Amino acid sequence: MDPQKGRSSIFSPYSSNDPSMNVPVTAGAAGSIMSPYLNIDPSYIGSGGDGDFIFPEGANRQRGRLELSFSQIGGSVFAGAAVGGINGVLTGYRETSAAQLTGAVRRTQMLNFITKQGASSAQTLGVVALMYSIFGVVLSTSRGVDDELNTVVAGTATGFLYKSSAGWKKCVRGGAIGLTLSVAYVLFTSRDRLKSVMGRD
């Protein structure tokens, strides 16, 4: 026997001549290989996909509206701050250039524009996302189903409520904008589902 074959290496501390490593590999009832170390036949596990090992039995495979609302509100606040900050940079640059400000005074005015417009946009989008999330959670809970209809109704109601204090014309305009955005979102994200519902391949 070659002594080099039975010697362990830095990658494998066990020797091939170790009798404890000589574990027979057997086949299961369905012809699948059984693990010699776990003594589990893989055919018993089934082929339901990776989700069978992540979600408990009876649990929902998707995050609900309430859980998604936190990330939606936070993401809207950050997006609003970013958009408002960029708009503040452009507006501040234009205004300070027109006023011919230089040095520390110009930098201070630029920071004022950035922080004010960033905070304003973040607050606006955060409030809109909060309204949308509340409507979505209430509809999902009351109807017992989370579908595209909840998204469209929540978006339309958010537009109505957000502009409700600005008169009925702006209120209707806000509802129309909410309806348009929510329908566009549903068409973009649920194309296949809508086709299957309408009976088209």
Side-chain angles (χ1 to χ4, degrees), residues 2-20:
D2 188 1
Q4 295 292 332
K5 293 183 179 180
R7 187 176 300 174
S8 62
S9 66
I10 59 174
F11 300 106
S12 177
Y14 301 102
S15 170
S16 60
N17 290 336
D18 188 356
S20 64

Side-chain angles (χ1 to χ4, degrees), residues 56-172:
E57 184 177 352
N60 191 5
R61 293 175 180 266
Q62 283 185 332
R63 293 189 294 175
R65 285 263 183 179
L66 182 61
E67 188 177 354
L68 286 173
S69 65
F70 296 103
S71 59
Q72 288 174 349
I73 295 170
S76 299
V77 170
F78 280 108
V83 172
I86 293 172
N87 190 26
V89 170
L90 299 176
T91 305
Y93 181 79
R94 185 172 59 250
E95 294 292 333
T96 54
S97 297
Q100 296 182 352
L101 299 177
T102 57
V105 178
R106 183 174 187 179
R107 286 194 298 270
T108 303
Q109 289 298 320
M110 289 282 293
L111 289 175
N112 288 338
F113 277 105
I114 293 170
T115 54
K116 286 181 180 179
Q117 295 195 21
S120 177
S121 299
Q123 183 180 6
T124 300
L125 283 183
V127 169
V128 170
L130 177 63
M131 291 179 180
Y132 171 77
S133 298
I134 291 174
F135 281 121
V137 170
V138 170
L139 287 169
S140 178
T141 305
S142 60
R143 295 183 64 230
V145 63
D146 187 13
D147 57 3
E148 289 77 13
L149 180 61
N150 291 347
T151 301
V152 174
V153 173
T156 307
T158 300
F160 278 125
L161 182 60
Y162 185 73
K163 288 294 185 180
S164 60
S165 61
W168 68 271
K169 288 185 178 180
K170 290 187 177 180
C171 180
V172 172

Side-chain angles (χ1 to χ4, degrees), residues 19-64:
S20 64
M21 297 300 293
N22 188 17
V23 181
V25 177
T26 59
S32 58
I33 302 299
M34 296 180 63
S35 170
Y37 303 106
L38 301 178
N39 197 21
I40 294 176
D41 189 351
S43 64
Y44 295 146
I45 298 176
S47 59
D50 295 336
D52 293 340
F53 305 100
I54 299 174
F55 299 98
E57 184 177 352
N60 191 5
R61 293 175 180 266
Q62 283 185 332
R63 293 189 294 175

Side-chain angles (χ1 to χ4, degrees), residues 169-187:
K169 288 185 178 180
K170 290 187 177 180
C171 180
V172 172
R173 189 181 305 166
I177 292 174
L179 176 64
T180 303
L181 292 176
S182 58
V183 168
Y185 175 77
V186 167
L187 291 176

